[in-house]
Amino acid sequence: MQHIMCIMLHMIDGSQADRRPMRATRKALGRSQTRGNHFIGGSLLRAEQIFVHGHIRAGRPDDKKQLLLSKIVDAVTKIASVERRSVWVYISEIPALQMIEYGHELPLPGQEEHWRENLPQADREYLLSLG
């Protein structure tokens, strides 16, 4: 499942027109549940399902979050060869000031460029090297 998640996130990020190095602020964990080892509504799961839990920095407009959800479902169904009804996706927003990546508090939405410019040079070069 982790391999599927890596491919899925690459597919989603790779389709973005804006590929500045802040894509790492999008995280997802996936787990495939098989019949009989998970409960939904108090009943044992009767079919295999894939659950994706994503954490994103708060501040995106609702239409962007809906697009992200849709792309995640599309990627999972394609990669895992499952029906859409087998995929569950949840996105949790975390305020930027409650997130640290690469050793630095994340910027508030709209302040990414200023944040990048003010990183220590070695950290900025490392971050930019990631693509």
Side-chain angles (χ1 to χ4, degrees):
M1 177 55 74
Q2 288 183 1
H3 179 68
I4 289 173
M5 297 307 296
C6 289
I7 293 170
M8 179 196 72
L9 289 173
H10 177 73
M11 287 173 61
I12 292 168
D13 278 336
S15 67
Q16 302 295 320
D18 181 6
R19 297 208 47 205
R20 288 184 229 147
M22 278 302 292
R23 64 184 177 167
T25 61
R26 197 177 302 147
K27 306 272 187 297
L29 300 172
R31 170 168 279 171
S32 180
Q33 293 293 345
T34 55
R35 223 176 291 169
N37 70 352
H38 189 78
F39 289 87
I40 296 179
S43 299
L44 277 174
L45 184 65
R46 293 184 295 181
E48 293 192 17
Q49 303 287 307
I50 297 174
F51 295 83
V52 179
H53 299 266
H55 302 282
I56 61 173
R57 185 174 49 133
R60 289 176 177 83
D62 288 343
D63 63 326
K64 297 286 186 190
K65 290 182 278 190
Q66 286 301 117
L67 181 61
L68 178 60
L69 285 166
S70 179
K71 287 184 174 192
I72 291 171
V73 171
D74 291 345
V76 171
T77 58
K78 180 177 180 179
I79 294 166
S81 299
V82 297
E83 299 289 330
R84 290 181 71 84
R85 67 178 165 265
S86 299
V87 180
W88 301 51
V89 180
Y90 304 91
I91 291 180
S92 299
E93 292 185 289
I94 303 172
L97 297 178
Q98 294 179 10
M99 299 174 77
I100 291 180
E101 293 185 0
Y102 303 104
H104 301 278
E105 256 182 23
L106 291 182
L108 295 172
Q111 297 180 1
E112 294 85 359
E113 189 173 331
H114 177 25
W115 179 81
R116 271 190 300 276
E117 290 171 359
N118 288 290
L119 286 173
Q121 182 176 347
D123 292 344
R124 184 175 52 254
E125 288 173 2
Y126 173 76
L127 185 61
L128 292 171
S129 75
L130 299 176

